[in-house]
Amino acid sequence: MEKSEFIEFMKTKTPARKGMEVFDEFHKLSENARKITMEINNKYHTKEELTELFSILTNKKVDDSFRLFPPFYTDCGINITVGKNVFINACCNFQDQGGITIGNNCLIGHNVTIATLNHDIDPDKRADMYPAPVKIGNNVWIGSDTTILPGVTIGDNSVIGAKSLVVKDIPANCIAFGHPCKMIKEIKENKYAL
């Protein structure tokens, strides 16, 4: 299975069942992602080297404005898309098989987990995986220790408070926090703009 075929299958949100070709591809992609993240995480790299390694990991050119503080963990890599001026802080975990899209000017705090797969609740089918993409808009700040679950969209300009559990969509232009994460207040104007 080609990488492009894998990504197209994930877009359909069709379950990946044990024995399917796409199920086997999960494991091949995981091996490759571990190889690249071992390189990212286990020796010093310049900003430019990290950008190049992240481009290899995602199988697409990452903008030179990208910043990453290792360590970084993923179990796929090729279904991550990042915009310009994205910063990913240390110890983040991206389960990206279902697709993770991060817009421009985003800040991802320490130890953020983004999940895009669920397993079947039927014990006999527990290994089956259900993909659902996560989309993070432009100018979003995700606080440290936040977990974002499959299928969530976070709107432009929003802030997710630290240690939140994001289980459903968060609208644009708001501050949201909690377990589960809920909108606390709207961002009506930028009082701090220069």
Side-chain angles (χ1 to χ4, degrees), residues 124-179:
D124 295 332
K125 299 177 184 175
R126 189 67 42 89
D128 294 353
M129 292 177 268
Y130 296 82
V134 169
K135 296 177 183 170
I136 299 172
N138 296 318
N139 307 307
V140 172
W141 175 19
I142 309 293
S144 296
D145 294 308
T146 290
T147 297
I148 302 170
L149 296 185
V152 166
T153 296
I154 299 172
D156 292 348
N157 308 313
S158 287
V159 177
I160 307 299
K163 295 189 180 286
S164 291
L165 176 61
V166 188
V167 299
K168 63 181 182 177
D169 292 354
I170 301 297
N173 302 305
C174 76
I175 297 172
F177 172 78
H179 278 95

Side-chain angles (χ1 to χ4, degrees), residues 78-95:
I78 67 163
N79 215 356
I80 300 170
T81 302
V82 296
K84 295 180 181 180
N85 299 310
V86 169
F87 172 65
I88 300 172
N89 217 324
C91 301
C92 288
N93 294 276
F94 287 14
Q95 179 201 49

Side-chain angles (χ1 to χ4, degrees), residues 27-42:
H27 300 290
K28 291 177 189 171
L29 292 169
S30 180
E31 289 295 317
N32 189 58
R34 287 190 325 168
K35 179 180 170 185
I36 298 167
T37 56
M38 288 290 285
E39 175 66 24
I40 288 170
N41 296 338
N42 290 302

